[in-house]
């Protein structure tokens, strides 16, 4: 008999999203947060389409948080991500080659990410659109910080160890604008996440480490 809690999957009917509690253990959450403490954090950016369908990454008052990209992660954290990706490959039936590089995000009280779409920018990219968003909550803010899908009327609480996955695309492969979502303001405590996106085609040309 295992003493670890059984992972519990919640899948609201017809909503293109699900979450799994205890996808990683409290000890793993603590380990990742500790490794991230000494990572290099920068103000988070948003993606916009500008003239000629060009994509630009820019700072915006609609996103108040800090981001640390995988290029800043410690070797120990990269080793853990290998284990995590193996779990994700079997969960989603995908290959890690399709995953973008990981980003950590942290929100302090007042931090938020206003309503936006994760897809709709990469129809002409060789790696294709962002099919799935894969979001892992690493800590549990006392108040606020839910991921809110306003057109789906679904709000998911940030709980340490919870994995949230949603599909950004319609069956045709184009952006499902019904998956518009936000990270609602953190009101008390801190919210830290790890996020990646599964593209339709291979994204990584080199191994992780
Ligand atoms: O942190 C969240 O709850 C949502 C994050 C998000 O939407 C994103 O990183 O694209
Ligand atoms: Fe998003």
């Amino acid at each position: 008999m295992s003493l670890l809690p059984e992972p519990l999957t919640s899948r609201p009917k017809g909503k293109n999203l699900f979450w799994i509690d205890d996808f990683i253990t409290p000890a793993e959450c603590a380990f990742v947060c500790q490794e991230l403490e000494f990572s290099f954090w920068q103000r988070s950016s948003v993606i916009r389409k500008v003239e000629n369908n060009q994509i630009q990454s820019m700072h915006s008052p609609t996103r108040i948080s800090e981001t640390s990209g995988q290029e800043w992660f410690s070797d120990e954290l990269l080793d853990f991500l290998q284990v995590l990706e193996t779990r994700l490959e079997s969960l989603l039936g995908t290959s890690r080659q399709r995953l973008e590089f990981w980003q950590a995000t942290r929100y302090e009280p007042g931090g938020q990410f206003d309503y936006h779409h994760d897809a709709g920018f990469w129809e002409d990219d060789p790696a294709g659109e962002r099919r799935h968003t894969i979001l892992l909550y690493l800590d549990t803010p006392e108040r606020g910080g839910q991921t809110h899908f306003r057109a789906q009327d679904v709000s998911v609480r940030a709980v340490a160890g919870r994995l949230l996955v949603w599909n950004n695309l319609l069956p045709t492969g184009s952006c499902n604008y019904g998956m518009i979502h936000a990270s609602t303001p953190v009101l008390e405590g801190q919210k830290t996440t790890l996020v990646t996106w599964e593209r339709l085609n291979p994204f990584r040309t080199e191994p992780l480490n």
Side-chain angles (χ1 to χ4, degrees):
M1 205 179 77
S2 162
L3 293 176
L4 290 172
E6 281 292 313
L8 178 70
T9 305
S10 305
R11 197 182 288 272
K13 266 210 176 98
K15 302 287 187 186
N16 283 326
L17 61 90
F18 66 90
W19 62 92
I20 301 179
D21 284 336
D22 306 309
F23 193 73
I24 67 170
T25 65
E28 287 171 327
C29 288
F31 165 77
V32 176
C33 285
Q34 193 186 315
E35 290 299 312
L36 285 172
E37 207 169 305
F38 302 104
S39 202
F40 180 61
W41 293 87
Q42 289 166 292
R43 190 177 162 191
S44 306
S45 310
V46 299
I47 291 170
R48 293 270 161 79
K49 251 190 186 165
V50 291
E51 288 129 58
N52 307 326
N53 257 0
Q54 297 275 87
I55 299 168
Q56 224 175 58
S57 173
M58 58 181 85
H59 292 151
S60 162
T62 62
R63 190 175 188 195
I64 305 165
S65 62
E66 291 185 309
T67 296
S68 180
Q70 184 180 318
E71 67 272 29
W72 300 106
F73 293 178
S74 66
D75 288 346
E76 290 75 12
L77 181 51
L78 293 176
D79 286 345
F80 174 73
L81 291 183
Q82 296 278 10
V83 176
L84 184 62
E85 288 180 359
T86 303
R87 289 184 209 167
L88 288 169
E89 281 178 325
S90 58
L91 177 74
L92 299 172
T94 190
S95 151
R96 64 189 68 199
Q97 290 305 318
R98 290 201 163 85
L99 301 183
E100 286 187 32
F101 296 108
W102 289 88
Q103 290 178 17
T105 304
R106 68 181 178 201
Y107 307 81
E108 303 290 339
Q112 59 152 344
F113 191 174
D114 212 344
Y115 292 94
H116 65 279
H117 307 280
D118 286 359
F121 304 95
W122 293 279
E123 60 269 29
D124 300 324
D125 190 279
E129 276 290 6
R130 284 174 162 173
R131 179 176 18 216
H132 285 116
T133 301
I134 298 163
L135 178 65
L136 189 57
Y137 302 107
L138 299 170
D139 50 18
T140 310
E142 276 81 40
R143 279 196 309 132
Q146 299 93 334
T147 307
H148 184 226
F149 299 83
R150 76 175 172 205
Q152 308 291 322
D153 196 22
V154 174
S155 199
V156 182
R157 258 193 80 208
V159 175
R162 174 176 283 178
L163 175 80
L164 171 64
V165 177
W166 70 89
N167 187 338
N168 292 295
L169 303 181
L170 295 166
T172 57
S174 60
C175 179
N176 180 356
Y177 292 100
M179 296 311 287
I180 190 166
H181 59 277
S183 175
T184 64
V186 170
L187 301 173
E188 203 182 330
Q190 179 169 285
K191 174 181 173 185
T192 313
T193 63
L194 272 177
V195 67
T196 185
W197 294 269
E198 185 215 14
R199 305 290 284 265
L200 285 172
N201 305 314
F203 175 86
R204 297 181 185 177
T205 50
E206 285 166 30
L208 241 159
N209 55 357

